[in-house]
Amino acid sequence: MFEYEDKNWCEKMRIRLDFNNVMQDFIDGGFSQKNFDDLSEKITNAANQLDSKRANGQMDWRNLPYNQPVDEILDYAAQVQKNFESILVLGIGGSALGPIALQQAINHPYYNELPREKRKFPKFYVADNVDPERLVYLFDVIDLDKTLFIVISKSGSTSETMSQFMIIKDMMEKELGKENAKSHIVCITDSEKGNLIKIAKDENYKTFYIPAGVGGRFSQLSPVGLLPAAICGIDIKELLAGAAFMDEACKNNPQKNIAAMYATINYLAMQNGQNITVMMPYADSLKYISDWYTQLWAESLGKSVNNDGKIVNVGQTPVKALGVTDQHSQIQLYNEGPYDKIITFISVENYRETITIPKIFEDMPTVGFLGGATHNELIQVEHYTTERALAKLNRMNMTIILPHVNEFVIGQLFYMLEVATAFAGELLNINAFNQPGVEEAKNLTYGVFGKPGYENKRIELENVLKKNQNYFV
Ligand code: PA5
C-alpha cells in the first residue's frame, strides 16, 4: 500500500513522456533540439507567467492537491456507503467527465454489475445529458428510495443540470416526502454564486464547495471528482498525493518537465500544421480519460481572440481513440491521410491482470502462433508496432507511459494534463480558463426558455434568417 513518505515507491510510479517519434532523428520533418531552443524564451515566459498567476491567486486549481476537505468527504462518503445502493451524478462537461474518467480508470470495468458483496460500495451512475430517453430509462434501474443524487454545477445555473435536478427533486418529494427527500440530495457548487447554492441553503441540503477560482474542467481534484470517487471506494488521498507529486515535477526546468514538454510539443505541432491531436490510451480503463482530456484541451485552447485582443482563431482539435480497438478503424487514416495529426498514446507497463492465450491449434501455425503469449504482451506489442508503423510513415506520435493504473498515477495524469493545458494556453497567448463559445449557446437557450435577463437572446434568435426549404432534401 502506498505511503506518501515512501519516495522510492513514488519514483517507481512516476509517469513519463516518450517523445522520440516527434524528433527528426526518428521521422522526416520531425523537430530538432534547435526548434526547442528557438522557443526557449517563449517557454520560459510561459513558465514564469504561470508561476506569477499562481502566486497572485489566479490559479486556485493548482492548490487542490493540498487544500481539499478530505476528512469531511470521507466521513460523508462512509455514511453514503452505509445508507445507499446507488449514486447518480447530475452534471455536465467539467462537472461530469472527471468523475466518469476516474471511476472507469480505477474501479472494476463491470463495477455496477458486480454483486454488492464484491462491489462493496454503491453503484455509480452519471446523467450528463438531457436526452429524455436516457433519464427515463435510468429510473428503470435505480431505486429512488436507495439513491443519492449528487448535483454538481459550478455556476449553479446550467440548464441541463438544473432541469435534471428539478425533475429529480419533484419526483423524490412526491415519493418520499419533502423532509426525507433532503437526505438524498447533496450539492457541489460555488460557495456564494449561483442559484444552486441559494437553493441548497434554503432547503438545507448537504453541500460541498468548488473553490471560487476553479473552473469546471479544472475541478476534478475538488469535491467534484473526490466525492463520487470516495463513495465508490477510490482512495482520494492517494489521488491527491499523486497530483502533489506531479506538482513538484512541474516546478522543474520546462525542458525537463513532462507537462511543459507535452504542451511545447503540441504547440510546435500546431505551428507545423498538426491541428489535430489524438489521445489513444492502450487500456480500456483509460478510455474516459480521453473524453475528459478532449474537453480540457478543446474548451481551454479553442479561442478566437488572444490576450492582446487580436483575432487568432487558435486551438487543436482533440480526437479520442482507443488502442488496440481503433487500430482497426482510425489508424488507416492516421497512417495514410493528411499530415495534420499528432498522436499521443498512453501505455501501461503493468496491467492489473494477466491472461494467457492457451496453446491450442498447434497444428495450425497461422492461428496457433499466439499460443503461450499473454494479452498483456499482445497489447504492448501492438502499441509498439503501431507507433513504429506511424513513425515509418513520418507521422508524429508520442507516448505517456504509466507504470500502473492506480490512484497515485491517475492523480499525476490529471494534474499533468491540466498544467500542460494551461502551459499551452500561455504559449498560444490566450485565456485557457474562459469558454465564451460555450456560454453563447447556454445564453441562447436561456433566451428561448424565457430566463429573465436573456430577452435580447430570444429576440436575436427570432431575427435569424428563416431556414430555406430548398436546402432540405
Ligand atoms: O469547463 C467548463 O467550465 C464547462 O465545461 C462546465 O464544466 C460545464 O459547462 C458545466 O458548468 P457548471 O459546472 O457551471 O454547471
Side-chain angles (χ1 to χ4, degrees):
M1 191 61 186
F2 165 71
E3 283 171 35
Y4 189 40
E5 292 72 31
D6 182 350
K7 297 281 185 283
N8 283 338
W9 191 90
C10 294
E11 276 312 318
K12 280 190 216 142
M13 292 298 131
R14 184 183 289 284
I15 69 175
R16 291 177 301 139
L17 179 68
D18 168 3
F19 60 94
N20 277 278
N21 288 338
V22 304
M23 300 301 286
Q24 64 180 17
D25 330 28
F26 288 86
I27 61 167
D28 292 345
F31 304 131
S32 62
Q33 184 54 44
K34 184 169 181 313
N35 291 125
F36 291 93
D37 294 343
D38 288 349
L39 265 189
S40 69
E41 196 182 327
K42 200 174 174 65
I43 294 171
T44 308
N45 286 345
N48 292 343
Q49 275 292 104
L50 288 186
D51 287 348
S52 73
K53 283 184 183 165
R54 185 177 192 177
N56 295 336
Q58 289 169 279
M59 305 257 283
D60 286 350
W61 58 273
R62 295 280 313 250
N63 303 326
L64 295 175
Y66 313 102
N67 63 9
Q68 289 309 283
V70 171
D71 291 337
E72 188 190 349
I73 290 174
L74 291 175
D75 286 349
Y76 183 72
Q79 289 172 41
V80 176
Q81 288 163 356
K82 259 192 264 144
N83 298 330
F84 294 96
E85 271 306 314
S86 307
I87 60 170
L88 172 60
V89 171
L90 307 178
I92 196 165
S95 295
L97 292 166
I100 298 171
L102 185 53
Q103 169 74 9
Q104 186 77 17
I106 301 298
N107 274 338
H108 193 291
Y110 305 104
Y111 176 87
N112 279 355
E113 282 89 23
L114 291 174
R116 175 84 198 214
E117 61 278 12
K118 237 180 158 184
R119 179 171 26 90
K120 296 200 192 104
F121 307 109
K123 291 184 183 175
F124 171 84
Y125 296 99
V126 177
D128 64 347
N129 201 350
V130 287
D131 176 340
E133 295 174 7
R134 185 162 155 206
L135 195 58
V136 170
Y137 295 154
L138 184 60
F139 298 131
D140 289 337
V141 295
I142 60 169
D143 187 347
L144 285 187
D145 191 21
K146 297 190 179 120
T147 302
L148 176 79
F149 298 91
I150 306 180
V151 191
I152 308 181
S153 176
K154 172 70 202 288
S155 61
S157 63
T158 304
S159 304
E160 293 87 345
T161 305
M162 294 309 280
S163 68
Q164 287 172 327
F165 167 56
M166 288 155 78
I167 292 168
I168 298 244
K169 178 179 178 344
D170 188 59
M171 283 173 82
M172 296 290 289
E173 292 183 354
K174 284 183 179 137
E175 187 159 322
L176 306 177
K178 197 166 164 56
E179 273 318 298
N180 283 343
K182 286 186 181 175
S183 59
H184 287 251
I185 294 170
V186 53
C187 299
I188 303 179
T189 186
D190 190 275
S191 64
E192 284 170 15
K193 290 192 194 137
N195 294 324
L196 188 57
I197 187 61
K198 283 194 205 90
I199 296 170
K201 282 185 175 158
D202 288 350
E203 302 277 340
N204 208 14
Y205 294 144
K206 173 75 185 162
T207 308
F208 290 92
Y209 301 122
I210 307 170
V214 177
R217 57 193 176 276
F218 289 87
S219 68
Q220 167 61 5
L221 300 171
S222 78
V224 171
L226 299 180
L227 182 67
I231 294 171
C232 295
I234 292 171
D235 190 333
I236 60 171
K237 286 188 176 168
E238 284 200 27
L239 183 81
L240 294 172
F245 185 68
M246 179 51 67
D247 187 28
E248 283 306 309
C250 290
K251 291 177 186 157
N252 288 337
N253 165 343
Q255 289 210 29
K256 293 274 167 239
N257 96 51
I258 181 170
M261 278 306 282
Y262 182 81
T264 304
I265 291 166
N266 274 296
Y267 176 77
L268 282 170
M270 282 183 243
Q271 310 303 305
N272 200 44
Q274 278 88 40
N275 280 324
I276 299 173
T277 180
V278 178
M279 180 61 88
M280 186 164 177
Y282 272 73
D284 272 30
S285 62
L286 305 176
K287 187 173 173 181
Y288 291 93
I289 293 280
S290 299
D291 282 54
W292 170 84
Y293 166 77
T294 297
Q295 183 216 8
L296 182 70
W297 199 253
E299 204 169 330
S300 303
L301 302 183
K303 298 290 153 68
S304 60
V305 179
N306 74 7
N307 292 329
D308 305 321
K310 197 173 150 213
I311 303 285
V312 284
N313 299 113
V314 291
Q316 202 184 23
T317 306
V319 172
K320 310 177 272 192
L322 180 67
V324 302
T325 310
D326 285 314
Q327 286 176 204
H328 297 266
S329 64
Q330 301 179 28
I331 283 291
Q332 169 61 31
L333 171 71
Y334 301 165
N335 271 325
E336 296 192 5
Y339 286 86
D340 56 359
K341 299 169 201 68
I342 176 166
I343 297 155
T344 302
F345 299 111
I346 307 181
S347 71
V348 176
E349 288 179 318
N350 299 284
Y351 290 85
R352 285 164 283 192
E353 300 294 341
T354 302
I355 187 161
T356 305
I357 306 162
K359 288 190 179 183
I360 56 174
F361 299 125
E362 284 181 306
D363 53 338
M364 283 174 70
T366 51
V367 180
F369 73 99
L370 288 170
T374 62
H375 265 185
N376 310 54
E377 289 163 332
L378 189 55
I379 197 168
Q380 284 169 338
V381 166
E382 290 200 34
H383 160 238
Y384 176 69
T385 52
T386 301
E387 67 160 75
R388 269 313 312 144
L390 284 161
K392 200 168 146 187
L393 294 164
N394 301 314
R395 308 292 172 150
M396 287 197 179
N397 67 87
M398 54 185 168
T399 298
I400 299 170
I401 303 165
L402 308 190
H404 285 262
V405 175
N406 59 31
E407 289 91 334
F408 187 81
V409 169
I410 297 299
Q412 289 182 66
L413 185 61
F414 278 133
Y415 198 84
M416 187 282 274
L417 290 171
E418 288 178 354
V419 176
T421 303
F423 205 98
E426 293 301 331
L427 292 173
L428 290 166
N429 187 31
I430 48 100
N431 180 351
F433 303 102
N434 65 3
Q435 52 284 324
V438 172
E439 303 302 339
E440 182 56 11
K442 277 189 181 184
N443 295 341
L444 289 169
T445 306
Y446 294 154
V448 172
F449 285 96
K451 182 170 177 173
Y454 293 84
E455 296 75 11
N456 60 336
K457 292 290 165 190
R458 187 186 186 108
I459 295 167
E460 185 185 321
L461 284 176
E462 281 166 1
N463 289 328
V464 167
L465 184 66
K466 292 280 167 290
K467 285 200 172 168
N468 185 335
Q469 290 309 310
N470 294 331
Y471 298 156
F472 288 85
V473 286

